[in-house]
Amino acid sequence: MPSRAEVTYFGAGPALLPTNVLEKAAESLVNYNGTGLGLAEHSHRSEIATKVLNEAKADLATFLDIPDDYEVLFMQGGGSGEFSATVYNLVGVWVERRKQKILKELGIKDGKDIPEDVILKELEKAVQEELKIDYLVTGSWSLKASQEAARLVGPEYINVVADARKVNDGKFGKIPEESAWKLSKNPAMVYYCDNETVDGVEFPGFPEVLKPKGNDDDPIVVADMSSNILSRRIPIKNFSVIFFGAQKNLGSTGITVVIIKKSLLPPAVATPPPTLLRKLGLPIGPIVLSYETIAKNNSLYNTLSIFDVYIAGQVLKNSLANFPNKVDDQEKIANEKAKTIYEALEKYPESYKIVPDKSARSRMNICFRVTHLASGVDDSEKTFLKGATEQGLTGLKGHRSVGGIRASNYNSISAEGAKKLAMYIETFAQSPK
């Protein structure tokens, strides 16, 4: 059996974690800081847990340069839970803002001088005629997000701004030109997935058409960054909400992080009462997915997995210690590793086919097909994977929905690991057909 040092794991998630972080976490799981109890046994209400949580939040803010007017929330439910949470919370924000606009149009300051049924009638009309939630569908996860929103509020409220399959022969692999996007007027949010793990598609940068102009019409932009967070600098001010599961670049499975503008939380904006949402025919989310509730309780409304927060915090401390320029240093390494692997694939076009278009290639999830053997793709890929495993290169099998090969180049993959994979790619291509 191979030792940990002999294996480079390219799995898409749960992903490889730094060995020194796991070793420290293993000690803390048995006896945390000489307390006689493991960290997983300490109360999430204890001073110990609060310190672990607050340090992780502070280190994340430092590493990513998160501005003071944003709140960091630790939640549960993964990225899929956030597909729902964003809808519940931001539709509520839209309703409250639309209500205030109606009151202003009616010349009412606080809503006390107007019958409730009048406001309700105007809001019902606004919901039916104006409410839209915009989705950029560029891969499997953004498709799932749009489908979940349609399930929650109804497909009539969902606007697919662009569907990448329509510009790529029915498959994901490109990002449609921004000039073709069909954005709604004042949607509750505009959602996109910054990096699609299944399809190997990553946005090269923040979309130009979504950049804020500094007025009331700026869109509420939501991004799922589960698989490329901490790997490059983010223009956080351009986003209203960023969410990500920890299990790719940040830590272990079990926690999800939300970075949200404080202007979307009370007291800046009120949360509509459940009775109003019911009358409007809109869904009411579970309280554990309420950003207001989680923020008000410093992420400790319910029993948060503090041990998982601790692991994430140790990953951040590890990164801060190794990278003086924080995320900028990490970005340089991530880009160089991706370049090394892609260049090896490009040298042998007769043996490999890179799945996504070059304009949208992910630096985190490198997806390709193996066409080396005359007996066909299936045999080529089985042989490729078998040989890779023998070299200690594991976790390379593509997602079950699309097949192929996927090398997940997360932050924990060393430069040496990326070079080892590149060398194997070249050696395999030079082997007998």
Side-chain angles (χ1 to χ4, degrees):
M1 296 291 289
S3 68
R4 182 176 180 85
E6 294 173 314
V7 171
T8 303
Y9 179 63
F10 290 93
L16 189 72
L17 283 162
T19 299
N20 64 325
V21 167
L22 288 178
E23 289 171 344
K24 188 170 183 180
E27 294 176 6
S28 297
L29 186 60
V30 176
N31 187 346
Y32 180 71
N33 285 1
T35 60
L37 288 177
L39 186 53
E41 298 165 310
H42 280 280
S43 169
H44 67 297
R45 306 280 184 209
S46 66
E47 289 184 14
I48 287 173
T50 299
K51 186 173 185 290
V52 167
L53 176 63
N54 288 342
E55 283 187 6
K57 288 170 65 174
D59 287 343
L60 179 66
T62 298
F63 192 71
L64 291 179
D65 290 321
I66 299 173
D68 291 339
D69 56 341
Y70 284 74
E71 185 65 65
V72 175
L73 311 177
F74 279 81
M75 300 179 67
Q76 295 161 55
S80 295
E82 291 305 313
F83 295 165
S84 304
T86 49
V87 173
Y88 291 135
N89 287 277
L90 296 178
V91 165
V93 169
W94 185 92
V95 168
E96 179 59 29
R97 288 181 170 179
R98 195 65 186 85
K99 177 183 174 182
Q100 295 305 317
K101 185 178 179 182
I102 288 170
L103 291 174
K104 186 177 180 180
E105 290 169 349
L106 294 172
I108 307 298
K109 290 185 178 180
D110 55 14
K112 293 180 181 178
D113 300 325
I114 186 170
E116 184 180 335
D117 61 334
V118 174
I119 299 175
L120 179 62
K121 184 177 180 181
E122 291 295 322
L123 270 177
E124 286 175 335
K125 181 181 178 184
V127 167
Q128 291 170 9
E129 296 179 359
E130 302 171 31
L131 176 60
K132 290 294 178 184
I133 312 174
D134 282 7
Y135 285 86
L136 281 159
V137 177
T138 55
S140 300
W141 291 114
S142 50
L143 176 62
K144 285 179 183 291
S146 68
Q147 291 170 337
E148 174 65 358
R151 188 183 72 85
L152 293 175
V153 299
E156 65 270 26
Y157 296 117
I158 307 308
N159 174 44
V160 175
V161 173
D163 187 334
R165 294 169 295 184
K166 294 182 178 179
V167 297
N168 197 45
D169 298 325
K171 296 181 179 179
F172 293 120
K174 288 184 179 180
I175 297 174
E177 294 290 333
E178 290 184 23
S179 58
W181 295 4
K182 296 178 180 178
L183 293 160
S184 301
K185 182 180 180 181
N186 298 321
M189 69 177 182
V190 181
Y191 162 97
Y192 74 95
C193 183
D194 204 42
N195 183 77
E196 294 277 4
T197 57
V198 173
D199 308 284
V201 170
E202 183 177 24
F203 278 76
F206 188 84
E208 194 69 30
V209 72
L210 297 180
K211 286 185 176 178
K213 300 178 180 61
N215 55 48
D216 293 339
D217 294 329
D218 284 342
I220 291 178
V221 180
V222 174
D224 178 354
M225 295 189 178
S226 291
S227 51
N228 65 349
I229 195 68
L230 308 185
S231 74
R232 68 179 183 184
R233 179 161 290 280
I234 306 164
I236 292 177
K237 281 284 191 181
N238 291 354
F239 297 94
S240 297
V241 178
I242 299 168
F243 68 81
F244 43 96
Q247 68 273 14
K248 315 288 188 181
N249 277 334
L250 180 60
S252 53
T253 305
I255 54 170
T256 311
V257 183
V258 175
I259 302 171
I260 181 171
K261 269 187 178 179
K262 291 179 180 177
S263 61
L264 296 175
L265 297 168
V269 62
T271 299
T275 51
L276 175 60
L277 294 175
R278 285 194 198 97
K279 289 175 181 177
L280 294 172
L282 295 173
I284 301 159
I287 200 163
V288 292
L289 294 183
S290 164
Y291 294 154
E292 175 190 4
T293 300
I294 301 304
K296 190 161 52 177
N297 290 276
N298 190 30
S299 299
L300 295 172
Y301 173 77
N302 60 326
T303 309
L304 184 67
S305 176
I306 294 299
F307 183 68
D308 290 320
V309 175
Y310 174 77
I311 292 175
Q314 291 305 307
V315 169
L316 289 164
K317 288 184 185 302
N318 200 50
S319 297
L320 286 167
N322 290 322
F323 302 128
N325 296 311
K326 301 178 292 189
V327 73
D328 294 324
D329 285 345
Q330 182 69 77
E331 181 172 8
K332 290 177 184 176
I333 293 172
N335 292 349
E336 190 59 39
K337 290 188 297 173
K339 181 182 177 184
T340 297
I341 297 170
Y342 277 121
E343 284 184 348
L345 293 168
E346 287 175 330
K347 283 175 67 174
Y348 301 95
E350 71 284 356
S351 295
Y352 305 105
K353 180 184 182 299
I354 300 170
V355 174
D357 187 74
K358 193 168 187 176
S359 63
R361 285 180 186 172
S362 170
R363 300 163 308 123
M364 294 289 102
N365 305 101
I366 299 166
C367 297
F368 58 96
R369 304 307 302 251
V370 184
T371 57
H372 179 66
L373 300 179
S375 53
V377 172
D378 287 346
D379 284 346
S380 294
E381 291 177 346
K382 286 178 183 177
T383 306
F384 179 92
L385 289 170
K386 183 175 182 296
T389 300
E390 291 169 355
Q391 296 285 322
L393 303 166
T394 64
L396 287 165
K397 190 173 182 179
H399 191 273
R400 63 186 181 279
S401 65
V402 294
I405 310 296
R406 173 174 56 177
S408 293
N409 176 41
Y410 297 135
N411 291 349
S412 55
I413 299 295
S414 66
E416 291 72 24
K419 289 175 183 175
K420 187 176 178 182
L421 175 59
M423 288 176 61
Y424 174 67
I425 287 169
E426 294 198 24
T427 300
F428 184 82
Q430 295 166 4
S431 64
K433 295 190 176 183

